[in-house]
Amino acid sequence: MSAEGKPSITIRTTGGLFLLSALLELVSVGSPVTLLGAERAGAAAAVYHLAYTALFAVIGAGLWGARRWGARAFYAGGLVYTVDKLLSLWDRDAFEVSLRSQLGGYADLLQAVPSDLLFRVAIVSNALFVLSWWGFALYLYRRRNGLR
């Protein structure tokens, strides 16, 4: 919190963006997901999206209000997010199935770009997202005295 007792604009903005992420997860509840080495649809995908909806909503509400439990939810969410990203890259075949599904009618584009290159790009982008998450976790930890 700032000297006036108001939450940090950085923390509050992050909370708002997490609330927006929760809404986007809720909208995509019917979309298939890559989970445990295969693409899943139906109830499994819905549970996955609803779990992330709840996680993002709790993190967002906690950060918006600059609550200590919001920071703890952010750390717990970081663990879930990190494990999820590691699992999504664990099985390269599942990655390619997911990529083809995401490209839909444009799956022929995979012939123009080597799948090995796309896999490396996915690894780097996922690593950057995870590192960004933990970078902000460090920021929250350092600012913990400003949380209520």
Side-chain angles (χ1 to χ4, degrees):
M1 276 208 263
S2 66
E4 302 85 34
K6 295 182 182 177
S8 156
I9 189 72
T10 304
I11 293 172
R12 190 165 226 182
T13 300
T14 303
L17 291 173
F18 266 97
L19 291 171
L20 179 62
S21 294
L23 287 174
L24 293 173
E25 277 294 327
L26 190 58
V27 168
S28 64
V29 76
S31 301
V33 295
T34 302
L35 188 61
L36 301 174
E39 188 172 71
R40 313 279 181 192
V47 168
Y48 178 91
H49 287 296
L50 290 173
Y52 265 109
T53 297
L55 179 64
F56 291 162
V58 167
I59 291 170
L63 293 181
W64 181 263
R67 303 290 185 185
R68 286 192 187 275
W69 60 262
R72 288 192 283 273
F74 186 85
Y75 305 142
L79 289 174
V80 170
Y81 185 76
T82 300
V83 169
D84 185 39
K85 291 301 166 191
L86 288 173
L87 287 174
S88 73
L89 293 174
W90 193 268
D91 185 355
R92 186 176 173 152
D93 293 334
F95 169 77
E96 288 188 25
V97 167
S98 174
L99 188 58
R100 287 186 190 286
S101 173
Q102 290 174 24
L103 288 174
Y106 301 100
D108 293 341
L109 291 175
L110 289 177
Q111 294 174 354
V113 180
S115 63
D116 189 48
L117 175 63
L118 291 174
F119 191 65
R120 280 191 246 140
V121 168
I123 289 171
V124 170
S125 64
N126 281 332
L128 290 174
F129 276 105
V130 168
L131 288 173
S132 295
W133 189 298
W134 290 109
F136 191 77
L138 179 61
Y139 171 82
L140 275 177
Y141 181 76
R142 289 187 174 179
R143 297 286 310 250
R144 69 189 175 276
N145 290 336
L147 300 174
R148 296 179 264 167

